[in-house]
Amino acid sequence: MRVKIIRLFDFVPDKWMISFQYRIKTGRKIHWKNPQRYTEKLQWYKLNYRNPLMLTCADKQDVRDYVRGKGLGHILNEQYGCYNEVDDIDFDVLPREFVIKSTAGSGNNIIIKDKGSLDLEQVKATINTWMAQSGKSLGREWCYKSDRPRIIVEKFIGRDKNNDLPDYKFFCFNGKVYCLYTMINYTEDHSKGQLGFYDKNFCKMPCCRTDYPDIDVEIPKPENFEKMVEYAEILSEDFPHARIDFYNLDGNIIFGEITFYNASGYTSFRPDSFDFELGDQFKLP
């Protein structure tokens, strides 16, 4: 229903809609003429920065070519196929576990842990809903409008001993990692998740997002952490800002995605000064 309501306002100019959404989400007005906050600069980024490579990296299939072009093809997850239509997928040849994704949009994922109990008609209906999505990005994110969404099927990535899928999200500015965040206790139920920020040496930072509790336990530095930092800087070097995500299971690094507008720029931080701290790193072109 929320999506349908927002779609009614597709005719509203991007700057007006972004200003409205930012006010609703954060309770603040955007300082368009002199943005200082990270979240404000992300809104400027949406409206004004047009690097064609962003279109490639925003597409979950095309980004694989970008990663290979950077010499990092070995960290790509195994893919079983890329399809234009749901009826092109031969479910009989797929393994017991797999993941279905849309190449466009965010959150369009179906995790299949047991193909034998699959409700195939429901899955097809969900995929067709994805494929029918069109128009402006809900957050007016320039590079996430896709005129040719496709379906990809990938290998199911396992879980660690805590039944989590360790996911590390690196905030990079002009090709340099400044910080990252990770989450615990979230894989099966996001409402129970805890989120923590860490610096590029994996030391806990005294800040958090207001929509998740802070991580209050010590978590070990992941194996091959320095490699993740190296890879994040390679993949982000073409952009003023990008968030580079990796999974890491016992030192096995797997590429997740490249995101340009973290949470669409509608998050709040505690303390609020962290919004300005990140903003200081973000040098607008």
Side-chain angles (χ1 to χ4, degrees):
M1 181 60 68
R2 181 182 70 88
V3 171
K4 289 180 178 179
I5 292 172
I6 293 175
R7 285 284 175 233
L8 294 176
F9 295 92
D10 274 358
F11 70 92
V12 175
D14 288 345
K15 188 173 182 178
W16 293 4
M17 194 63 181
I18 288 172
S19 297
F20 175 72
Q21 290 183 330
Y22 188 83
R23 184 63 178 262
I24 292 296
K25 295 284 189 176
T26 69
R28 297 186 300 268
K29 293 176 61 176
I30 300 175
H31 295 88
W32 286 108
K33 292 184 178 180
N34 186 28
Q36 298 296 312
R37 294 174 177 270
Y38 169 70
T39 52
E40 290 178 326
K41 290 185 176 184
L42 282 179
Q43 310 312 322
W44 185 98
Y45 206 36
K46 292 178 190 178
L47 282 183
N48 297 291
Y49 189 68
R50 298 290 186 265
N51 183 340
L53 274 177
M54 295 172 78
L55 298 171
T56 297
C57 293
D59 184 286
K60 291 182 174 61
Q61 177 65 18
D62 295 344
V63 70
R64 294 173 66 89
D65 291 332
Y66 180 79
V67 173
R68 291 189 190 98
K70 293 292 186 178
L72 298 176
H74 61 284
I75 64 172
L76 291 170
N77 190 23
E78 182 180 352
Q79 187 182 86
Y80 300 131
C82 179
Y83 312 93
N84 292 318
E85 304 288 344
V86 66
D87 290 333
D88 296 337
I89 305 173
D90 186 349
F91 286 91
D92 292 335
V93 302
L94 293 174
R96 179 173 179 269
E97 297 178 316
F98 54 91
V99 178
I100 306 172
K101 300 179 180 179
S102 166
T103 59
S106 176
N108 292 342
N109 307 305
I110 302 175
I111 298 173
I112 307 298
K113 294 184 178 180
D114 180 7
K115 189 175 68 173
S117 60
L118 179 67
D119 185 340
L120 188 56
E121 293 307 312
Q122 180 60 50
V123 167
K124 287 186 175 182
T126 300
I127 294 173
N128 282 327
T129 299
W130 298 346
M131 302 298 281
Q133 292 174 353
S134 62
K136 296 178 182 290
S137 150
L138 297 182
R140 302 301 175 96
E141 299 165 337
W142 167 73
C143 63
Y144 289 101
K145 181 181 183 301
S146 176
D147 295 324
R148 56 183 191 98
R150 290 158 290 164
I151 310 150
I152 53 178
V153 182
E154 294 183 341
K155 179 180 178 180
F156 173 79
I157 303 174
R159 302 292 186 264
D160 66 9
K161 61 183 179 181
N162 299 315
N163 198 35
D164 268 337
L165 177 56
D167 187 10
Y168 303 90
K169 302 176 184 296
F170 291 80
F171 287 65
C172 304
F173 301 92
N174 291 314
K176 297 296 180 184
V177 169
Y178 180 70
C179 65
L180 68 140
Y181 76 74
T182 190
M183 295 184 69
I184 60 174
N185 304 324
Y186 77 99
T187 303
E188 297 299 328
D189 185 352
H190 276 42
S191 67
K192 297 180 180 178
Q194 295 173 270
L195 184 151
F197 279 90
Y198 298 79
D199 67 19
K200 66 181 301 181
N201 297 309
F202 208 70
C203 296
K204 186 77 165 52
M205 299 176 72
C207 53
C208 62
R209 273 173 44 169
T210 58
D211 51 346
Y212 285 102
D214 192 18
I215 291 177
D216 57 1
V217 296
E218 183 176 351
I219 60 176
K221 184 177 182 178
E223 293 182 51
N224 289 331
F225 179 75
E226 289 74 17
K227 276 292 180 184
M228 286 198 292
V229 172
E230 176 188 342
Y231 296 161
E233 294 188 341
I234 290 172
L235 293 174
S236 66
E237 62 187 357
D238 295 311
F239 312 104
H241 170 54
R243 198 193 77 201
I244 312 294
D245 299 356
F246 301 112
Y247 302 110
N248 188 328
L249 279 170
D250 301 321
N252 181 32
I253 300 169
I254 302 171
F255 172 76
E257 64 177 351
I258 299 178
T259 298
F260 295 104
Y261 317 108
N262 177 69
S264 202
Y266 297 143
T267 49
S268 295
F269 300 98
R270 189 168 53 245
D272 183 57
S273 59
F274 188 59
D275 203 357
F276 292 95
E277 182 179 336
L278 286 178
D280 287 342
Q281 306 302 313
F282 195 169
K283 308 302 181 186
L284 297 180

